[in-house]
Every structure is written in C-alpha cells, then in structure tokens.
Amino acid sequence: MNDLPSRPTRSLKLLVAAGLIGSGLLAAGAPELTAQGGWREGPRLPVAMANNSVVGVESTNEGPAVFSMLGLLEGKGWRDVTSRAFRWNVGGREWREIAPVPGPGRLASTAQAVDGRVYLFGGYVVAEDGSEVSLPNVDIYDPDSDSWTRGADMPIPVDDAVSGIWQDSLIVLVSGWSNGDNVSTVQIYNPRADTWVQSTPIPGTTVFGHAGAVTRDRIVYVDGVERRAEGRPRYAMAPASWMGTLGPLQSSRIEWRKLPDHPGLPLYRSAGLALGNRILFLGGSDNPYNYDGIGYNGVPSEPAGQFLALDIESGVWTELPLPPVATMDHRTLARAGGMVVLAGGMTAGQVVSDRVWYAPVLELLTGR
C-alpha cells in the first residue's frame, strides 16, 4: 500500500500417483528438470511478473492448465502494472499469451477456479501520482474459448484479500483493503447464480496482504498488515492466525476462533493453497512493502525462505521443502495436473521474476 492519505524421478508408482506421466511431464522433449526437495523448474513465464494472480484449472479442452494474470512487470513503476495473462498446459514446453484481462492493469487481485472457469476478483489500479483505487471487478475467464465475461461486482471492492473455494461451489473473500482502509468484511460469491452475500466479519485486526485458503468447512488465514492511526510507518505487520468454521450453505455464517501464532516469521503476501486437510503458506516477506518492494519503513524488503503447512484437524504446523529460490509478492499457489505450481514473484533484491517451480502434490504431502 502507498503511504499516502488516500491509500496506501521417483518409482513408476510414485510418478503415476503424482500425475507426472498422465500429464505428459515425462514425455519426450519435455523441459529438463532440476529437482530440489521435490521441486522442479518449469518453463519460464514470457515476461517477469510479480503480484500476479495464479490459478490452476483441472479440466480444459487441452487438459490441466495454470494461468497467470495481471501483476507487476520488471520496471516496478506505475506504468508496469499489467493486464496481460498467460497459460501453461501442465507438462508443456512453454507458456502462451491469452486474451488480456479486460480493463486496466491492476495489482493484488485474487483468482479461483470453479466448474472449469477462472474467477478474478478485485485488485487496485495505480495512477501516475501514486494514488490507488480498489476495483469491484469480477472478471470470468473461459479457457476453452479464450474469452472474458463480467460477473456481478463485489458489494465492497477489495484488493489484497484472501480467497478460497467452499464446498466446490462458492468463493469466499476474507478482509483486505478497500480504498481508504482495511475492512472486516467476508463476502461470499455464488458463481452459478452470479450473486453475493455477506458473511460473519472477521473479529480480529483488519488486514491486507494476509495469506490463507479454504478447505472443507474451514477458512484459515494468517498475518497481513494493519493500518495504524498514528505513528510511522503507517502500515505494520499484524501477526495472528485465525480459523473460521463455515456453517450450512444456506446460513453463510462463520464461527471464528484465534489460533496460536504459526512458527517462523510473520508473512506478508505469501502464497496460500488448500490441500486436503492442510493449508499451505509459501514465501512472502516479514517486512510489508509498497508494490515496488520497498518497505513502508523505508527498508527494502526481502523474501522469507519459509514454507509452512497447517493441519486443520490436529492444529499441527509442519515445515515443507522450499523451492530453490526464495520469493515474495504472491497471491496464491496453483494446483493442476497433480502439481503445485509457483509462478513469478520477487526474488532477493526486489527483482521481479519469470521463474516457475512445480512439485508433485504427493511428494509435498509425504516428503518422499
């Protein structure tokens, strides 16, 4: 946020189970793999991108695919906020450019996929004078036709929010920034009906840049940044972990409870993902920053080499193997074709990255 008044190779069995063979990742001519802790390097993005919305779609007419949309190009200025979008068919040799997101380029959007379509929510635009505006946009992408349509606007426009899918049908948006301040709002979108309802607000500190996901009937989010009424910097980490239990679909009610703080550093703009009973949190930074990677405290931010998983049933945190390069400035991890995919972000020195890393879900969950 701007500090401004207006805004701031394994056995054959393992390979099949992990989806490597079925998705074509071992086909002749596939990219050479560099493995570390289960992670391999995939084809690079056509352009370096940070703060991009990344999402996987399991079923398209070309098979499982990952999409990278919107974000910040390597110049890191207001003119470098982009509406460009790209697609990688999991196991393919390269990404290709697809139809751009309608409207202006924006940052801090969040994306989820339901019924084979991508739903892209909110984000903010940056003007030449540094002012920023949160958008209410719901942009819907059909991978099979490479086309966009518009959904019903968010009742409260937000960016830097946490999103997740509930009961394979509804998309939940938690807190985030809305123009002049953070909001406690939890908004639930029904893609099939193209309608919104408001749910139980978060009880803790309102934040932006937090990380989390929805799995089964639980929402988990951690950390993020609070806006201070007094003192400098005006934006500071707000370390906290929260879990919400979602009620029956028709009630849209959430019961919130505070969790013990997670191990390691507090996280800003970490990549979140739900996998079975676990919520994953990869990368991010412990020093909150404006979109150019410079902290609100004036100190350049650096990525935290940290990959954590919370088991929502036992409450136990575990550390998972990291990709070879630490990164920050993410929204979500993608999952498609039996893979978890991390695309773009910023590396050390606030360098916008085009690198892509993927790991078989089975290896991440079992450590084998």
Side-chain angles (χ1 to χ4, degrees):
M1 294 299 139
N2 252 342
D3 205 354
L4 295 171
S6 62
R7 171 56 156 46
T9 163
R10 303 284 194 198
S11 72
L12 180 62
K13 182 178 179 180
L14 276 175
L15 289 169
V16 172
L20 277 163
I21 291 179
S23 64
L25 285 169
L26 297 183
E32 183 179 353
L33 306 179
T34 302
Q36 176 174 313
W39 292 94
R40 287 88 163 160
E41 184 164 13
R44 297 196 177 199
L45 289 162
V47 295
M49 302 180 76
N51 212 279
N52 44 329
S53 295
V54 181
V55 63
V57 178
E58 290 292 347
S59 180
T60 78
N61 57 6
E62 299 179 42
V66 174
F67 300 87
S68 174
M69 302 167 165
L70 304 175
L72 184 69
L73 304 180
E74 58 187 343
K76 296 186 293 186
W78 71 275
R79 295 182 185 274
D80 300 301
V81 179
T82 185
S83 62
R84 296 177 72 180
F86 304 93
R87 170 180 181 150
W88 178 47
N89 292 333
V90 178
R93 296 184 60 85
E94 62 185 9
W95 294 73
R96 73 170 187 262
E97 191 153 10
I98 59 176
V101 180
R106 57 191 193 261
L107 301 173
S109 298
T110 185
Q112 296 292 336
V114 175
D115 293 338
R117 286 176 168 80
V118 173
Y119 293 82
L120 188 60
F121 298 93
Y124 67 91
V125 295
V126 183
E128 185 175 3
D129 64 2
S131 59
E132 302 165 359
V133 177
S134 304
L135 299 184
N137 298 37
V138 178
D139 293 298
I140 306 167
Y141 180 72
D142 183 342
D144 293 342
S145 64
D146 188 28
S147 64
W148 292 91
T149 55
R150 183 74 177 262
D153 284 358
M154 286 182 282
I156 298 175
V158 291
D159 57 69
D160 262 313
V162 159
S163 69
I165 300 174
W166 179 29
Q167 296 290 344
D168 297 322
S169 60
L170 304 181
I171 302 173
V172 183
L173 300 181
V174 180
S175 195
W177 180 271
S178 183
N179 290 314
D181 207 346
N182 294 321
V183 295
S184 62
T185 311
V186 177
Q187 307 180 87
I188 300 180
Y189 178 69
N190 184 330
R192 293 162 188 161
D194 191 29
T195 57
W196 289 92
V197 297
Q198 303 294 303
S199 188
T200 310
I202 62 169
T205 301
T206 57
V207 287
F208 69 83
H210 45 319
V214 178
T215 187
R216 308 214 161 135
D217 289 327
R218 309 287 177 83
I219 304 170
V220 176
Y221 74 89
V222 302
D223 307 332
V225 174
E226 65 177 323
R227 178 180 181 270
R228 293 172 165 178
E230 299 178 354
R232 307 283 293 185
R234 289 182 59 197
Y235 306 99
M237 291 299 305
S241 300
W242 289 87
M243 179 183 289
T245 301
L246 292 142
L249 281 171
Q250 62 270 24
S251 75
S252 300
R253 179 176 174 79
I254 303 172
E255 293 184 4
W256 292 101
R257 66 182 177 94
K258 199 171 188 299
L259 301 174
D261 290 349
H262 64 78
L265 299 168
L267 298 169
Y268 172 66
R269 288 186 172 171
S270 174
L273 178 68
L275 281 182
N277 283 336
R278 299 184 188 182
I279 307 290
L280 313 184
F281 304 88
L282 175 57
S285 178
D286 66 337
N287 184 38
Y289 53 86
N290 202 351
Y291 65 86
D292 59 1
I294 304 302
Y296 296 116
N297 58 5
V299 178
S301 298
E302 296 294 340
Q306 193 163 285
F307 191 10
L308 302 173
L310 173 67
D311 187 305
I312 62 167
E313 301 299 339
S314 68
V316 173
W317 288 92
T318 55
E319 293 187 23
L320 299 179
L322 284 159
V325 178
T327 54
M328 64 186 196
D329 211 40
H330 297 292
R331 309 303 312 148
T332 54
L333 288 162
R335 179 183 181 180
M339 301 293 146
V340 171
V341 181
L342 180 72
M346 286 187 189
T347 60
Q350 309 83 54
V351 176
V352 179
S353 177
D354 63 353
R355 299 184 79 172
V356 174
W357 305 94
Y358 66 88
V361 171
L362 182 66
E363 291 189 22
L364 282 183
L365 294 183
T366 65
R368 296 157 60 189

